Amino acid sequence: RLFGNVEWRLEEALTVNLGAMLEDHDLTGTAFSPRFALNWHLHPRHTLRFAASRSVRVPSLFEAGADAYNTVDIGYSPSAPGYPALDGQPDAIFQEWRTQGSPDNETVDNFELGWLFDLSPELGLRGDVKLFYEQYDDLLFEYQYPMPLRDDLALCDPVQNPLVAKGIDGYIPDIADMLERDRAPDPWTKESGDACNLHTGFNNQEGLLGPVSLSFANQVALDIYGIETSLEWRPSHRMRVIGSYSLAKLRNLEMLRPALLDNDFTNRDGNWLDRVRDDLQKSVPSHVLSVLAIYRPRDDLTLSAALYHVGDVTHLEDGGSIDSWNRLDLRAAKRFEAGAWRGEVYAVVQNAGRDYPDFENKNVFDTRLFAGIRLYQ
């Protein structure tokens, strides 16, 4: 990785910053991430800023080369009469993930126009306002596909491994069906003369899904635009109030490779692709608000309160659709000295209001109390 930054003062009121990072990765090769910023100091207490940058996210090791499977003993034995018992031998492979191809980097181009201000030094009132526009491209998203052969596994013995099934929403025949199928090889079984001859497929008439696996692909592009603002107020040397608010909207959502999602393996009920689009549209909360107040009635005593609000949001992957929620945190701390030691005792109340779901509806964040002590020299 090579990184550099240059600051160029064109004149006293105008400053240009140029930066760039060049990196080479084993998974995705070479990537270039530039940044440009222009600061115009209109007044000692007012500055306009324009910035443009590109950021790159390399796929994780799992996204780039997932091969997650489990072997399961389901008690299949072609030679056993009647209902077979578990014999300690792996009979099936549950292939949950196996990455196809080589996913590329995710990228985001960011543009922002901001105003930094100090309105009243006497009142301690300062803050900033920023308009932003972000263009995301090649975002990774999961999809299902017919599972490949597992020639690299020792379980290709047709006696040990008569079928290959998928672990999520897959189809597993019952034992009687498996015994019957062993007498007439079909797309679910390995033919006895071919140790790794697996025929995958989808039988639409019977509604049975052939062996499938999950993979990742660069298949989502979208834009996010909005406004962010923060304001700090210091009414006295003992009190500070800091607030921030953001309004964000998602638009121009595009599925770059819709065929990977709109197929018999993934879109079995016919509207899954529409639900993916809907979840993506709702994955950015429109409103996010926070207010922090800090008050020191004495030099050794600090009281603070923090209020948060997050609008409706749908968390992707394993998350859920969460309604807007509010949260209030309270903290009190007292400093002390004991000989050569100094310290602080504190108490914290997290979420002093109503319970709310976090990430998914079954994860409920309730009211929590903490107390502690810190010592230092």
Side-chain angles (χ1 to χ4, degrees), residues 114-322:
W115 170 37
L116 286 77
F117 56 85
D118 188 349
L119 294 181
S120 175
E122 295 79 14
L123 295 177
L125 195 61
R126 61 183 181 181
D128 70 89
V129 178
K130 179 177 71 175
L131 301 174
F132 66 89
Y133 189 84
E134 301 171 342
Q135 297 177 324
Y136 293 83
D137 196 18
D138 286 333
L139 299 183
L140 291 167
F141 207 81
E142 66 183 49
Y143 70 97
Q144 291 180 326
Y145 69 100
M147 205 203 79
L149 301 182
R150 291 309 310 249
D151 297 324
D152 57 322
L153 291 181
L155 296 173
C156 287
D157 182 345
V159 176
Q160 287 190 348
N161 187 30
L163 71 123
V164 178
K166 179 185 174 299
I168 303 175
D169 298 327
Y171 172 75
I172 305 176
D174 61 30
I175 299 299
D177 285 344
M178 291 167 59
L179 290 172
E180 182 64 29
R181 288 171 183 272
D182 183 66
R183 301 186 183 98
D186 62 17
W188 290 94
T189 60
K190 295 179 182 295
E191 299 179 69
S192 57
D194 240 334
C196 280
N197 184 12
L198 171 66
H199 303 282
T200 62
F202 181 81
N203 187 333
N204 197 39
Q205 292 181 346
E206 296 182 17
L208 300 180
L209 184 64
V212 296
S213 186
L214 283 165
S215 183
F216 293 97
N218 302 95
Q219 52 185 331
V220 178
L222 55 88
D223 299 341
I224 298 177
Y225 68 98
I227 182 172
E228 294 180 352
T229 181
S230 66
L231 186 66
E232 180 179 353
W233 178 39
R234 290 177 176 260
S236 72
H237 72 284
R238 292 192 178 277
M239 186 171 184
R240 294 173 60 195
V241 180
I242 305 169
S244 65
Y245 173 75
S246 70
L247 173 66
K249 296 293 183 182
L250 186 151
R251 71 172 191 176
N252 297 334
L253 173 63
E254 180 183 0
M255 308 305 292
L256 303 176
R257 302 169 69 182
L260 291 178
L261 299 176
D262 193 10
N263 55 53
D264 289 337
F265 294 96
T266 296
N267 199 21
R268 276 179 279 171
D269 58 7
N271 59 5
W272 191 83
L273 186 57
D274 292 334
R275 293 201 304 272
V276 169
R277 289 193 177 100
D278 187 60
D279 287 347
L280 286 168
Q281 289 283 1
K282 297 176 180 178
S283 63
V284 177
S286 298
H287 307 276
V288 177
L289 170 71
S290 68
V291 180
L292 171 64
I294 304 173
Y295 178 55
R296 292 185 174 90
R298 302 194 318 239
D299 291 343
D300 62 344
L301 181 62
T302 302
L303 307 175
S304 64
L307 176 66
Y308 306 95
H309 170 80
V310 177
D312 299 348
V313 61
T314 296
H315 296 281
L316 302 177
E317 303 298 341
D318 294 330
S321 296
I322 306 299

Side-chain angles (χ1 to χ4, degrees), residues 14-192:
L14 200 60
T15 304
V16 175
N17 283 275
L18 297 174
M21 183 167 66
L22 182 68
E23 51 187 336
D24 187 76
H25 200 285
D26 288 345
L27 295 177
T28 56
T30 304
F32 181 64
S33 304
R35 185 179 187 275
F36 167 81
L38 177 66
N39 291 274
W40 184 16
H41 308 288
L42 301 171
H43 184 274
R45 298 199 302 267
H46 298 274
T47 299
L48 291 180
R49 178 185 68 248
F50 172 77
S53 64
R54 163 166 288 192
S55 299
V56 172
R57 176 185 175 270
V58 176
S60 69
L61 292 177
F62 184 79
E63 291 166 337
D67 188 5
Y69 64 91
N70 296 294
T71 58
V72 182
D73 176 12
I74 55 178
Y76 176 79
S77 178
S79 60
Y83 199 95
L86 299 181
D87 55 8
Q89 295 294 324
D91 302 315
I93 299 173
F94 285 69
Q95 181 85 45
E96 298 186 21
W97 294 88
R98 198 178 197 197
T99 297
Q100 285 198 121
S102 301
D104 202 356
N105 293 330
E106 298 177 327
T107 63
V108 55
D109 294 325
N110 178 277
F111 306 91
E112 63 179 61
L113 178 63
W115 170 37
L116 286 77
F117 56 85
D118 188 349
L119 294 181
S120 175
E122 295 79 14
L123 295 177
L125 195 61
R126 61 183 181 181
D128 70 89
V129 178
K130 179 177 71 175
L131 301 174
F132 66 89
Y133 189 84
E134 301 171 342
Q135 297 177 324
Y136 293 83
D137 196 18
D138 286 333
L139 299 183
L140 291 167
F141 207 81
E142 66 183 49
Y143 70 97
Q144 291 180 326
Y145 69 100
M147 205 203 79
L149 301 182
R150 291 309 310 249
D151 297 324
D152 57 322
L153 291 181
L155 296 173
C156 287
D157 182 345
V159 176
Q160 287 190 348
N161 187 30
L163 71 123
V164 178
K166 179 185 174 299
I168 303 175
D169 298 327
Y171 172 75
I172 305 176
D174 61 30
I175 299 299
D177 285 344
M178 291 167 59
L179 290 172
E180 182 64 29
R181 288 171 183 272
D182 183 66
R183 301 186 183 98
D186 62 17
W188 290 94
T189 60
K190 295 179 182 295
E191 299 179 69
S192 57

